[in-house]
Amino acid sequence: MPPQDFRIPRSSVAGLSDDRLCWAVIERFWPDVNCDQQARIAAGTPGQRAIYALTVFAREVDNGGLEQFFWNSSGDLYPQVLAGLARVGADDRTAILRTAASFFDDEQTVHRRSLRQAKLSAASRDEKEAFFGPLTHQLYGQKRGVELELMPLFVRYINNHPDEFSADPASS
């Protein structure tokens, strides 16, 4: 069975607002409950992987901070989030995320949910808030939301790399 192509026709995104554009280019790519998230991510284009991982990351942080991102299964996307931040040009946020990951002492802990949860469970509420709180606030930026802060970078990337999101032949 050939790999699935999750790209969409360019005409389907013409005139969309920024938030609708960002969703439209990853909607078909978004894993459902019956899907292996890592396999789905591997099947996407580099741009789809970046926008997907960053959208999941942003929504987790916007909902409950960096601690929530690392507690939930979304924390398994840490490597893809780092790659996505680099891809869309959000290098300033890469340093914040790496600092947040330093809470877990080593790479093995960062990459395994059960180990992340054990480390988070062992820390007091005050310790976690003192560590993650300032980093989360740095990510929020002026708009008080990570997704809103990243959206202009998403839109710029989508517009500059249309072949990663569109199945249409490149226009001349």
Side-chain angles (χ1 to χ4, degrees):
M1 177 180 218
Q4 188 169 355
D5 186 343
F6 298 105
R7 295 175 302 156
I8 59 174
R10 284 192 182 124
S11 61
S12 69
V13 297
L16 292 181
S17 64
D18 290 353
D19 60 328
R20 291 187 182 271
L21 169 67
C22 292
W23 174 246
V25 300
I26 61 170
E27 182 177 15
R28 289 184 58 213
F29 181 67
W30 200 269
D32 62 32
V33 295
N34 300 317
C35 172
D36 175 351
Q37 177 179 241
Q38 294 297 335
R40 177 68 64 101
I41 291 169
T45 67
Q48 288 169 325
R49 290 192 301 268
I51 303 298
Y52 168 76
L54 292 172
T55 298
V56 171
F57 167 72
R59 290 179 179 179
E60 286 281 18
V61 174
D62 286 347
N63 187 46
L66 283 160
E67 179 185 347
Q68 177 173 304
F69 168 73
F70 284 113
W71 177 268
N72 288 339
S73 62
S74 56
D76 295 345
L77 295 174
Y78 173 73
Q80 290 89 348
V81 172
L82 286 176
L85 290 169
R87 185 163 292 283
V88 301
D91 298 326
D92 56 331
R93 285 156 180 99
T94 301
I96 297 167
L97 184 57
R98 286 187 189 281
T99 300
S102 73
F103 180 85
F104 301 103
D105 301 325
D106 61 54
E107 286 292 311
Q108 183 180 7
T109 303
V110 173
H111 295 289
R112 292 196 43 215
R113 183 180 186 194
S114 62
L115 297 176
R116 291 192 311 269
Q117 288 180 335
K119 175 77 175 177
L120 287 165
S121 294
S124 73
R125 178 85 240 137
D126 289 343
E127 290 172 310
K128 291 182 281 192
E129 180 55 37
F131 186 85
F132 289 112
L135 296 170
T136 297
H137 290 295
Q138 287 177 40
L139 285 173
Y140 283 159
Q142 295 177 350
K143 294 180 182 169
R144 302 296 304 159
V146 178
E147 192 167 8
L148 290 174
E149 288 289 317
L150 292 176
M151 194 168 298
L153 300 175
F154 293 176
V155 171
R156 183 182 69 206
Y157 189 87
I158 292 165
N159 289 333
N160 288 339
H161 302 88
D163 292 342
E164 291 188 45
F165 304 96
S166 171
D168 299 338
S171 50
S172 313

